[in-house]
Amino acid sequence: MKKLVPIALLAAIAAPALLVPASATAQSRAELREDRRDIRDAEHDLRRAQWSGDPRRIREERRDLREAHQEYREDLRDRDRRWAENDWRAWRDRNRPLYARGNWGAPFRYYRFSPGARIGTVYYGPRYVIGDPWRYHLPRPAPYQAWVRHYNDVLLVDTRRGAVIRVLPGFYW
């Protein structure tokens, strides 16, 4: 009995910490569902305004539709940011050998990049692109984007402009 109480106490303390990413994911899913519903409603209201022919109402409904789209994009960005910051860390902690790639280097020096920086094509050449981001629990890159390894960091790069979109420092051990 004496051993059971501390174990139960530890489990009660640890359980909320383990449930945070799942509850955050469920919340973001609900937010996204609500945003999509708002977009559908705004599109419907815009069609009704266009049918009525009132220019003032059409402008208002277009503005509402733009705001609904903007809110949806912001929630998507927030969800991806939360997911990238939480999920891969927990996965990495449970699968350490996957992230231990030994002594890895490149023919160029290490530089700590920040989002918005422009980098040369040598940094995101085929040799450095992570071809299987799902293996590391990274979100799928959008078209013309790639996850790239830069020493122990991982960069999400816009391959058309060479712009760094996101940086995950200390990704590999």
Side-chain angles (χ1 to χ4, degrees):
M1 184 68 170
K2 289 182 182 179
K3 291 180 183 179
L4 196 58
V5 171
I7 292 172
L9 184 60
L10 284 173
I13 292 170
L18 296 173
L19 295 176
V20 169
S23 65
T25 303
Q27 181 183 3
S28 66
R29 244 186 262 135
E31 288 174 358
L32 292 174
R33 195 170 34 252
E34 183 67 31
D35 289 343
R36 285 191 297 267
R37 187 177 306 124
D38 290 344
I39 289 171
R40 281 194 306 273
D41 292 344
E43 287 171 343
H44 178 71
D45 292 343
L46 177 60
R47 282 193 301 274
R48 291 184 69 190
Q50 289 170 338
W51 184 75
S52 73
D54 183 10
R56 176 177 285 157
R57 186 171 167 214
I58 292 172
R59 272 193 308 274
E60 290 173 0
E61 297 301 337
R62 282 186 180 151
R63 187 190 68 236
D64 291 346
L65 182 59
R66 275 193 308 272
E67 289 173 359
H69 277 289
Q70 180 66 27
E71 187 173 336
Y72 179 70
R73 284 191 297 270
E74 288 171 0
D75 285 346
L76 269 177
R77 256 192 311 267
D78 289 345
R79 182 200 63 178
D80 288 345
R81 190 172 297 122
R82 278 193 308 264
W83 186 75
E85 291 171 358
N86 296 326
D87 191 47
W88 72 266
R89 289 181 200 276
W91 177 258
R92 181 183 68 174
D93 291 343
R94 289 189 308 267
N95 298 287
R96 290 180 74 92
L98 181 64
Y99 293 86
R101 292 295 188 165
N103 188 9
W104 185 88
F108 41 80
R109 293 180 60 185
Y110 174 78
Y111 182 79
R112 176 114 186 219
F113 291 109
S114 59
R118 298 271 181 152
I119 61 175
T121 55
V122 69
Y123 288 101
Y124 56 93
R127 180 177 176 191
Y128 309 112
V129 171
I130 298 173
D132 51 356
W134 58 89
R135 182 176 179 196
Y136 301 102
H137 276 235
L138 292 169
R140 185 177 59 194
Y144 301 107
Q145 293 180 359
W147 287 104
V148 177
R149 179 168 185 171
H150 179 64
Y151 286 84
N152 287 341
D153 300 345
V154 173
L155 314 172
L156 180 62
V157 178
D158 181 346
T159 56
R160 290 179 295 182
R161 300 180 300 130
V164 177
I165 299 169
R166 185 178 295 159
V167 178
L168 301 175
F171 188 79
Y172 292 100
W173 297 110

